[in-house]
Amino acid sequence: MNESRRHQVSLRGASAKEITRDALLERVNQERELRNYTRRANAAVLLIQRVWRRHYEMKSVALGLRQEWEIMMNNRAGALSVLKISSEILRPFLFFINYLSVRCGKIGATERDCMMSCFRVVLENIASKDVHQNFCSMATGSIEERRIWFHQSKKLISVCLFILSVFDYSQQRVQDVVLTSTAMRLSVLLTDPKGWNCTADGDRKDANTAVKNLVQFIGSERSGLYNCIRKFISKLEAPFSSKELKYCQTDDKFLIVASAITLSLRPFHLTNMDIDDNGMMDCAVEQYCVSLLTIPWFPQRLPAILIPALRHKSVLSPCLRMLLISKEKILKEISEMDQLEIMSRKMPHIGWALANTVYLVTGSDMSVDSGKFAEDLDYSSYLHVVIFLADNLLASLENIRQITRKNEEIQVGNDTSAESAFDLAETTCGFLQLSYMDLFRPVYQQWHLKTLLVFAKDASICGTDNLSSGNQDYSRKYGLLGVAYYYSCMLRLFSTLNPVLKSLPVLNMLSFTPGFLASLWGELEKSLFHRKNHIANSTSLYANTISGDKSEGDSERRQKKFSKDTGNKWVNVLQKFTGKSPTENDCVNSVDGQSNFNKTEEHPSDEWDIIEPLRWGPEGISKDIHCLLLLFCSSYSHLLLVLDDIEFYDKQVPFTLEQQQKIASMLNTLVYNSLSRGISPQYRALVDSAVRCLHLLYERDCRRQFCHSSLWLSPGKSNRMPIAVAARTHEVFSAADGALSSSMGSVITTMPHVFPFEERVKMFREFISMDKVSRRLAGEGTGPGSRSIEIVIRRGHIFEDGLRQLNSLGSRLKSAIHVSFVSESGLPEAGLDYGGLSKEFLTDISKTAFSPEYGLFSQTSTSDRLLMPNTTARFLDNGIQMIEFLGRIVGKALYEGILLDFYFSHVFVQKLLGRYSFLDELSTLDPELYRNLMYVKHYDGDVRDLSLDFTVTEESLGKHHVIELKPGGKDISVTNENKLQYVHAMADYKLNRQILPFSNAFYRGLTDLISPSWLKLFNSSEFNQLLSGGDHDIDVDDLRKNTQYTGGYSEGSRTVKLFWEVFAGFEPRERCMLLKFVTSCSRAPLLGFKHLHPAFTIHKVVCDVPLWASFGGQDVDRLPSASTCYNTLKLPTYKRASTLRAKLLYAINSNAGFELS
């Protein structure tokens, strides 16, 4: 049989054409589906017809009943009995109103009239004292009567709530107002048995039971009470107009609001219930929290007279309890409310729940700085509820930002800022100009924190505060820890939602509340330093947190392994980025250099390496300690900004100097281990705040020491990387523009003080060496000839000629400079520049330009006479440009390793390092002004007596200029309330604003040659040492070992031996003067005379003197001279030590060098 015909079937004569089996099955299925669809369509049509007919019939019946009911109401005469009220009035009314109005969601004019008629009749009936004529008497009648009363009362209240929900407060139509107020009066009366005139004393219990059952219904989700009240309150204006409260007792609008609030609170006031409520009370509280507390400006929309009812303990306590017990369910319901508005950029509903809760708990008067909590408040529940709500609000805001940013990237194609992802303009309140964050004003008032601290103290006495449970949920924490979690959330919330001030209001309050920082530190000290005196103790509070199930011995072995492998690890990192082998000389030399230096470290550094939980960074501490640390670092760093030296060192508030050392040690260890191990996103906020606090303490210690130097070095003493590796790793990752991250590179830039100063100087020189190599590879030569800079300098116009020829070069000034001098007589001076003449040029131009007589720089009024930009330089022609040029000169000196013999002011160097100067640094600039400001700050009387205002007067070129410290400052008197602002505004002007144009200009010139990241390796005093050398005595042995001899001298020459003998016998001051005589700088190079370029040289000056001059007679009469450009001492061949000493002292005290020859 043919294969193609095997899969075909016959249609038995129906068609001459045969089809395949699959096609036949497919056709049959399609026909079956068509029949099923037709059957379902017919059934749907029949259902629609039945529903429509039923609706039509029901509407016809309802219209008929309404017509009959209207006729009956118009023809009624006299009082009606209870049965007639129930059967003839309420029963048909509830039927047709429910069908014609409630189901349609609107109220027509006819329905409004019917409602008014019915409500008035029922109210008149309930007011009757006749038991047979009072509708509420059915509540205490037979079982059937009670059932009917309960059913019809539920229906009546449902109709009243519907009227409330559709009532539009803004339209203010009289008919709607009267209808709504009447409906609310009826609802309140039905749920208040005290208003029933028909109830006898014996029936009071039955009446209460009936009302309790009714209140249970309205508190249930089926009644829709809270949804209706939410719709109504959301239409109210915020704030509630005070004009409408003038006659609030008779005002229908006020009665509507008051009745709605009364109904919402009915379920809270059910007491002594003898029946099983099936969780109706909890259900009502949940709905209250979800529907009402999430209304924007909920308390502000209500009359102030109603707020105490919402703050009563019978309302607040159940709400706080329910928010903790059913928090997941409530959060889910609130989140579902947000789903429809996820892209609206409005405040999430949970944010309003948080704000309204804080407002109701802390009081309602926003105009005063003193307040109180609601009476009998459960502080623990309050703390935990706020923490829960704030955490979820922050998470919700972050989710909104991510969604908004993603959508805008798709639509616009560019990124959007975090601030633009949330619209704060919507969160304002009417004519009071309140913002959302104003609802949190009590949070940053001291009474709020002090009350919570009293609670924390009581909780600690009761033993409920337990830090050891690091993995415990915060809902079970009490006392100080709960307060810490609370304010940690507030800091994050204010930072996110307060676009201008950020968390400043909260930090101000936390920093200046007496005892708060001390309490935080007490907990941290007890937890972090508890091992200091108990190292051998096997029980550790954080053992489980630090190492999990591993033993303490395992932790120590891991730490040793980490320290051992760190050097090799960073060498390997360097190889990956530079392609260099580990056998290159520079790495080996650097390692050797470091090992030699490490041998000189002092033993006390071991004393500070004891904070075991912090050895592993933030990962090694519990969540509780993390919270305490974050709050402490944020608050204390803020306080340090305004804490003066008198308070810090003399009064020692808020901490003693010993405690300050512990704090510095803790922060130093935490930051170092965090950076060296890498920072996870969840720990970024903690590390950032710890870095800020650490920097403030370190800069204060640099200015006036309170810590041993070993404290700052202690974290990295055992695992510092080699100098070359550190330098090159830093440069590699700096060039990556943040695309990559290096943990140890972050250590170098964030806390370079863990490296000893000598190592950082080596690192600085390594940076410059690497830069020179890269420039050489780029074809920019540094030797004589190729691409060098040739300049001609007149001796009498050294600064002007240098400015004209070099200022426009910018970074090209890094190239070699070849100087040709022209004498004052106009003749070119002989000689080639192999580095000496350029050194002489840099030292001479610096000596000229930085001289106070030149007018660009002046000296401070302190005893050390440090250099500071002269504010009158702005009146000079090109004054700012000249200061910028001097920045390049200093940068060139640093780049070439040439020492300059002057020091800059601490304040000025702070600006060059990109750091802000604070009040106490004024003492290094103007001690008299600093003393005066301290007098004002600590003045006990009325500061008005001093007649100060927010201005400062400056004198320049014989004229006086009045400068305002703040806008309108001349009209603002200094008072006790704003004297702190005045003190810091004055200090800010003197330390920052006044010299800012000059420091910026100098900085621009300096950074043309020296990278800003290189400069940040040092503090201000170290920068001056880098520029001018060490300020200690000369190391005679080091100088002798690195001295060269020319002209016939050698180390064994008699005159050379006499020189070293005399030099060693000099006073330290005389040795420095001799060094300045030869090199033009009185200070030795920081890394020793090995790094002096050109090298220190003693040149022989031959003189004809008889041999017996060594024993007596005439010795050489010629004076020694110097060539400072080549660091050369030209020493005659003296025969006696006394002659050599006398001649040297005469020469170095004559303040002359080359011309003595």
Side-chain angles (χ1 to χ4, degrees):
M1 184 177 180
N2 192 333
E3 185 68 22
S4 61
R5 295 179 58 85
R6 182 179 300 174
H7 300 286
Q8 295 180 351
V9 296
S10 174
L11 296 182
R12 298 179 180 178
S15 174
K17 182 179 179 181
E18 296 182 347
I19 61 174
T20 62
R21 183 186 302 275
D22 294 337
L24 177 63
L25 293 176
E26 183 179 357
R27 177 184 296 178
V28 171
N29 288 333
Q30 290 176 351
E31 292 175 352
R32 183 183 298 113
E33 291 178 1
L34 180 60
R35 290 193 298 270
N36 291 335
Y37 173 79
T38 304
R39 189 181 303 111
R40 291 194 301 271
N42 292 334
V45 169
L46 294 176
L47 177 62
I48 293 173
Q49 291 175 350
R50 286 197 300 270
V51 170
W52 176 250
R53 284 196 297 267
R54 183 175 181 276
H55 166 72
Y56 181 79
E57 293 296 332
M58 292 289 290
K59 185 175 180 180
S60 300
V61 172
L63 290 173
L65 281 176
R66 186 185 69 183
Q67 186 175 6
E68 295 176 2
W69 188 86
E70 290 176 337
I71 296 173
M72 184 268 296
M73 291 294 292
N74 292 331
N75 296 330
R76 70 182 178 88
L80 299 176
S81 65
V82 174
L83 293 178
K84 285 189 175 182
I85 289 288
S86 174
S87 60
E88 297 182 8
I89 295 181
L90 289 180
R91 186 175 181 181
F93 169 79
L94 292 174
F95 175 81
F96 71 75
I97 282 296
N98 182 67
Y99 203 86
L100 297 178
S101 184
V102 176
R103 290 192 179 186
C104 297
K106 60 181 180 179
I107 302 176
T110 305
E111 285 76 18
R112 183 189 303 114
D113 295 338
C114 294
M115 290 177 181
M116 282 298 305
S117 300
C118 180
F119 293 161
R120 284 172 179 169
V121 168
V122 176
L123 286 173
E124 293 173 0
N125 186 267
I126 295 177
S128 173
K129 295 182 179 181
D130 188 350
V131 177
H132 301 289
Q133 297 181 359
N134 195 309
F135 170 68
C136 291
S137 64
M138 297 179 67
T140 58
S142 62
I143 296 177
E144 182 63 21
E145 289 178 342
R146 294 181 186 183
R147 186 185 64 79
I148 295 174
W149 178 86
F150 180 68
H151 174 76
Q152 292 182 342
S153 296
K154 288 195 305 180
K155 294 294 184 180
L156 275 174
I157 290 178
S158 297
V159 173
C160 293
L161 292 177
F162 164 72
I163 295 172
L164 179 69
S165 66
V166 299
F167 174 60
D168 191 350
Y169 200 99
S170 60
Q171 294 183 3
Q172 299 184 357
R173 290 185 295 190
V174 177
Q175 304 94 323
D176 293 338
V177 173
V178 174
L179 173 63
T180 308
S181 63
T182 305
M184 289 295 98
R185 287 175 55 198
L186 177 59
S187 299
V188 172
L189 194 57
L190 287 175
T191 56
D192 183 13
K194 295 180 182 179
W196 302 350
N197 293 329
C198 64
T199 306
D201 294 338
D203 298 331
R204 187 70 62 185
K205 184 177 181 180
D206 293 336
N208 289 337
T209 301
V211 169
K212 287 178 181 179
N213 292 332
L214 185 60
V215 171
Q216 286 185 66
F217 161 73
I218 67 174
S220 66
E221 195 169 353
R222 289 184 298 123
S223 70
L225 168 69
Y226 293 101
N227 285 331
C228 294
I229 296 177
R230 177 185 177 86
K231 293 178 182 178
F232 165 69
I233 294 179
S234 297
K235 299 174 186 176
L236 298 178
E237 296 179 355
F240 194 90
S241 176
S242 59
K243 296 180 181 179
E244 298 178 4
L245 298 181
K246 186 174 181 180
Y247 304 104
C248 59
Q249 288 78 6
T250 59
D251 189 358
D252 284 339
K253 294 182 180 180
F254 172 78
L255 289 177
I256 295 172
V257 179
S259 300
I261 296 300
T262 300
L263 284 178
S264 69
L265 300 183
R266 284 284 195 235
F268 291 86
H269 299 148
L270 292 180
T271 56
N272 301 322
M273 295 184 64
D274 298 329
I275 58 176
D276 185 10
D277 62 358
N278 295 321
M280 289 297 181
M281 175 68 175
D282 292 345
C283 180
V285 176
E286 284 183 13
Q287 292 182 80
Y288 178 89
C289 295
V290 172
S291 299
L292 299 190
L293 286 184
T294 58
I295 297 176
W297 304 105
F298 172 51
Q300 287 73 28
R301 296 177 189 270
L302 306 178
I305 197 174
L306 299 180
I307 302 301
L310 301 180
R311 300 187 66 219
H312 195 268
K313 65 178 181 180
S314 62
V315 178
L316 279 182
S317 296
C319 288
L320 296 177
R321 178 181 60 85
M322 188 56 58
L323 283 169
L324 291 177
I325 294 176
S326 304
K327 57 185 179 183
E328 299 300 333
K329 179 181 178 182
I330 292 175
L331 178 61
K332 181 180 179 181
E333 294 179 7
I334 294 177
S335 300
E336 291 174 353
M337 296 169 61
D338 287 328
Q339 292 301 317
L340 299 178
E341 301 180 3
I342 190 69
M343 296 306 299
S344 66
R345 293 188 180 182
K346 293 184 179 180
M347 175 63 63
H349 289 91
I350 197 168
W352 289 111
L354 171 64
N356 292 331
T357 300
V358 171
Y359 181 91
L360 292 173
V361 168
T362 56
S364 57
D365 192 355
M366 293 283 105
S367 61
V368 296
D369 292 333
S370 61
K372 62 180 181 178
F373 286 101
E375 294 183 4
D376 300 324
L377 175 68
D378 183 356
Y379 294 102
S380 179
S381 297
Y382 166 64
L383 291 175
H384 301 147
V385 165
V386 171
I387 293 169
F388 160 70
L389 294 176
D391 279 341
N392 284 280
L393 171 60
L394 290 166
S396 179
L397 292 177
E398 181 61 29
N399 185 42
I400 292 175
R401 282 194 183 91
Q402 293 177 0
I403 294 176
T404 305
R405 184 180 296 115
K406 191 175 298 183
N407 290 339
E408 293 191 0
E409 286 176 357
I410 295 174
Q411 296 175 4
V412 182
N414 55 7
D415 196 4
T416 179
S417 63
E419 288 77 7
S420 66
F422 184 71
D423 183 13
L424 285 175
E426 180 264 345
T427 58
T428 55
C429 180
F431 56 80
L432 289 185
Q433 296 301 314
L434 286 177
S435 69
Y436 174 80
M437 297 309 297
D438 287 331
L439 298 178
F440 295 89
R441 190 175 299 170
V443 169
Y444 55 85
Q445 294 173 354
Q446 284 196 352
W447 68 264
H448 185 277
L449 177 58
K450 288 179 178 179
T451 306
L452 293 180
L453 289 178
V454 172
F455 156 73
K457 183 177 180 181
D458 295 340
S460 299
I461 293 175
C462 297
T464 57
D465 196 2
N466 183 12
L467 280 181
S468 62
S469 53
N471 57 353
Q472 195 177 19
D473 187 82
Y474 58 65
S475 63
R476 295 165 56 194
K477 292 181 173 66
Y478 303 89
L480 182 63
L481 188 58
V483 177
Y485 272 105
Y486 178 96
Y487 277 103
S488 295
C489 291
M490 289 297 109
L491 286 178
R492 294 163 53 203
L493 192 65
F494 273 74
S495 298
T496 304
L497 295 179
N498 203 6
V500 179
L501 297 178
K502 298 292 184 181
S503 58
L504 184 62
V506 180
L507 289 175
N508 280 336
M509 185 273 301
L510 295 177
S511 303
F512 294 105
T513 299
F516 177 65
L517 280 172
S519 300
L520 286 181
W521 175 245
E523 291 295 332
L524 290 171
E525 186 177 27
K526 180 173 62 178
S527 303
L528 297 177
F529 287 86
H530 70 289
R531 293 174 56 87
K532 181 175 180 180
N533 299 320
H534 305 282
I535 298 297
N537 194 341
S538 60
T539 60
S540 173
L541 186 64
Y542 298 95
N544 293 333
T545 309
I546 297 171
S547 57
D549 297 330
K550 295 188 178 182
S551 65
E552 183 179 329
D554 293 335
S555 300
E556 294 177 356
R557 285 193 294 272
R558 286 164 58 190
Q559 176 69 18
K560 291 178 180 179
K561 184 177 185 300
F562 175 78
S563 303
K564 180 179 179 181
D565 295 341
T566 300
N568 294 333
K569 168 186 173 183
W570 290 111
V571 169
N572 292 334
V573 171
L574 176 65
Q575 294 171 26
K576 292 180 180 180
F577 283 95
T578 63
K580 295 188 177 183
S581 66
T583 60
E584 292 194 8
N585 293 332
D586 53 359
C587 293
V588 175
N589 293 336
S590 298
V591 173
D592 293 340
Q594 185 201 17
S595 63
N596 292 334
F597 175 76
N598 285 342
K599 293 178 182 178
T600 66
E601 287 190 359
E602 300 179 5
H603 175 70
S605 62
D606 294 337
E607 178 183 351
W608 303 106
D609 196 18
I610 57 174
I611 312 176
E612 181 65 26
L614 300 181
R615 290 179 184 269
W616 308 102
E619 290 85 355
I621 59 177
S622 66
K623 182 180 179 182
D624 298 345
I625 298 298
H626 178 279
C627 174
L628 291 173
L629 272 174
L630 176 60
L631 193 61
F632 177 81
C633 294
S634 302
S635 304
Y636 192 42
S637 60
H638 186 73
L639 179 63
L640 284 172
L641 298 177
V642 297
L643 200 66
D644 60 55
D645 283 353
I646 296 175
E647 296 164 329
F648 189 92
Y649 293 98
D650 301 335
K651 297 181 180 180
Q652 297 190 19
V653 291
F655 303 112
T656 64
L657 293 183
E658 181 182 359
Q659 289 175 319
Q660 300 283 11
Q661 293 172 1
K662 286 187 175 181
I663 293 172
S665 174
M666 174 199 71
L667 295 173
N668 209 36
T669 304
L670 172 64
V671 174
Y672 180 83
N673 290 318
S674 300
L675 296 177
S676 60
R677 297 176 180 276
I679 307 172
S680 301
Q682 65 266 31
Y683 301 118
R684 173 61 64 181
L686 171 61
V687 176
D688 288 345
S689 61
V691 167
R692 285 194 299 271
C693 195
L694 177 66
H695 284 171
L696 290 170
L697 286 173
Y698 177 69
E699 290 176 10
R700 192 178 289 261
D701 182 73
C702 292
R703 185 165 41 82
R704 182 175 172 183
Q705 188 174 13
F706 65 90
C707 293
H708 194 279
S709 58
S710 61
L711 182 148
W712 305 110
L713 302 173
S714 60
K717 70 180 188 300
S718 59
N719 55 10
R720 282 194 293 270
M721 67 173 71
I723 301 301
V725 178
R728 293 175 183 174
T729 302
H730 172 266
E731 286 298 283
V732 166
F733 286 99
S734 295
D737 294 330
L740 302 172
S741 63
S742 165
S743 57
M744 197 55 70
S746 299
V747 169
I748 297 172
T749 55
T750 304
M751 49 185 310
H753 59 258
V754 297
F755 292 85
F757 176 56
E758 287 79 1
E759 289 192 17
R760 281 179 279 138
V761 174
K762 294 177 184 178
M763 205 179 299
F764 179 80
R765 300 313 311 175
E766 186 70 26
F767 288 151
I768 294 177
S769 299
M770 292 164 54
D771 185 71
K772 288 182 177 179
V773 170
S774 64
R775 294 183 69 251
R776 192 179 301 118
L777 294 176
E780 301 179 20
T782 57
S786 175
R787 295 184 181 273
S788 59
I789 301 170
E790 303 284 348
I791 60 174
V792 178
I793 302 296
R794 295 172 293 172
R795 287 286 183 183
H797 302 82
I798 186 169
F799 182 74
E800 292 80 359
D801 290 348
L803 176 65
R804 177 173 49 82
Q805 300 178 63
L806 298 178
N807 191 41
S808 60
L809 297 179
S811 61
R812 288 187 295 143
L813 197 55
K814 292 179 179 180
S815 300
I817 299 177
H818 293 160
V819 181
S820 298
F821 281 107
V822 176
S823 66
E824 294 186 359
S825 60
L827 298 177
E829 296 182 0
L832 296 176
D833 185 5
Y834 289 94
L837 293 178
S838 59
K839 172 182 176 292
E840 181 182 359
F841 163 71
L842 290 174
T843 55
D844 286 351
I845 195 174
S846 299
K847 188 182 301 182
T848 300
F850 287 110
S851 172
E853 290 76 16
Y854 204 82
L856 293 177
F857 277 75
S858 60
Q859 293 179 332
T860 61
S861 58
T862 55
S863 58
D864 41 14
R865 315 298 291 177
L866 303 175
L867 290 178
M868 188 77 175
N870 192 338
T871 56
T872 61
R874 65 177 179 270
F875 299 109
L876 301 176
D877 292 338
N878 300 324
I880 298 296
Q881 183 181 0
M882 288 189 286
I883 289 180
E884 183 176 343
F885 173 64
L886 287 180
R888 294 190 178 94
I889 293 298
V890 170
K892 179 65 174 176
L894 289 172
Y895 195 80
E896 301 297 344
I898 297 173
L899 299 180
L900 303 178
D901 197 20
F902 52 79
Y903 269 12
F904 288 119
S905 166
H906 172 86
V907 174
F908 179 59
V909 177
Q910 285 285 86
K911 299 294 157 295
L912 302 182
L913 301 180
R915 296 165 189 163
Y916 187 85
S917 296
F918 297 99
L919 173 62
D920 291 306
E921 298 174 44
L922 186 61
S923 61
T924 65
L925 182 65
D926 192 338
E928 182 180 0
L929 177 60
Y930 177 75
R931 287 192 297 270
N932 292 338
L933 290 179
M934 289 299 98
Y935 176 79
V936 173
K937 180 179 179 180
H938 299 286
Y939 188 70
D940 294 331
D942 189 354
V943 180
R944 292 180 184 271
D945 299 338
L946 303 179
S947 302
L948 299 173
D949 56 24
F950 279 79
T951 62
V952 58
T953 303
E954 283 189 350
E955 182 180 357
S956 60
L957 302 179
K959 296 182 180 180
H960 293 275
H961 304 275
V962 177
I963 299 173
E964 293 184 338
L965 299 176
K966 59 190 300 186
K970 62 182 179 181
D971 300 322
I972 303 175
S973 299
V974 179
T975 64
N976 289 339
E977 289 73 24
N978 62 16
K979 66 180 181 180
L980 264 182
Q981 297 180 26
Y982 170 77
V983 168
H984 288 280
M986 178 67 78
D988 175 64
Y989 176 76
K990 288 291 185 180
L991 296 172
N992 301 292
R993 292 167 52 191
Q994 188 179 39
I995 66 170
L996 188 61
F998 311 103
S999 59
N1000 285 345
F1002 195 94
Y1003 178 81
R1004 288 193 300 269
L1006 179 63
T1007 53
D1008 276 345
L1009 289 91
I1010 304 297
S1011 171
S1013 63
W1014 304 351
L1015 294 175
K1016 291 181 180 179
L1017 293 174
F1018 309 99
N1019 58 43
S1020 57
S1021 61
E1022 291 170 343
F1023 176 86
N1024 276 324
Q1025 292 184 57
L1026 183 71
L1027 178 66
S1028 306
D1031 56 355
H1032 45 74
D1033 190 14
I1034 305 300
D1035 187 343
V1036 179
D1037 293 335
D1038 182 45
L1039 177 60
R1040 184 171 185 173
K1041 184 170 60 174
N1042 293 284
T1043 297
Q1044 297 179 1
Y1045 304 96
T1046 60
Y1049 275 148
S1050 66
E1051 191 172 0
S1053 300
R1054 173 178 174 79
T1055 304
V1056 171
K1057 291 181 179 179
L1058 290 176
F1059 170 80
W1060 291 117
E1061 179 184 339
V1062 170
F1063 185 72
F1066 277 171
E1067 296 292 332
R1069 182 183 63 85
E1070 294 171 337
R1071 282 196 286 267
C1072 291
M1073 291 178 64
L1074 176 60
L1075 186 63
K1076 183 175 182 179
F1077 176 76
V1078 178
T1079 68
S1080 75
C1081 184
S1082 61
R1083 299 176 181 90
L1086 291 174
L1087 301 180
F1089 286 97
K1090 176 183 178 181
H1091 296 272
L1092 179 65
H1093 299 290
F1096 190 89
T1097 304
I1098 300 178
H1099 181 76
K1100 182 177 182 179
V1101 178
V1102 180
C1103 299
D1104 294 331
V1105 179
L1107 182 61
W1108 53 81
S1110 303
F1111 307 99
Q1114 182 67 31
D1115 199 352
V1116 176
D1117 190 47
R1118 186 172 180 176
L1119 289 171
S1121 61
S1123 178
T1124 57
C1125 57
Y1126 295 107
N1127 296 334
T1128 299
L1129 174 64
K1130 298 176 180 180
L1131 187 66
T1133 54
Y1134 299 108
K1135 303 301 180 183
R1136 294 197 300 268
S1138 58
T1139 305
L1140 191 149
R1141 175 182 175 86
K1143 296 296 184 181
L1144 277 178
L1145 288 176
Y1146 182 86
I1148 64 179
N1149 284 291
S1150 66
N1151 197 25
F1154 185 81
E1155 60 269 22
L1156 290 178
S1157 299

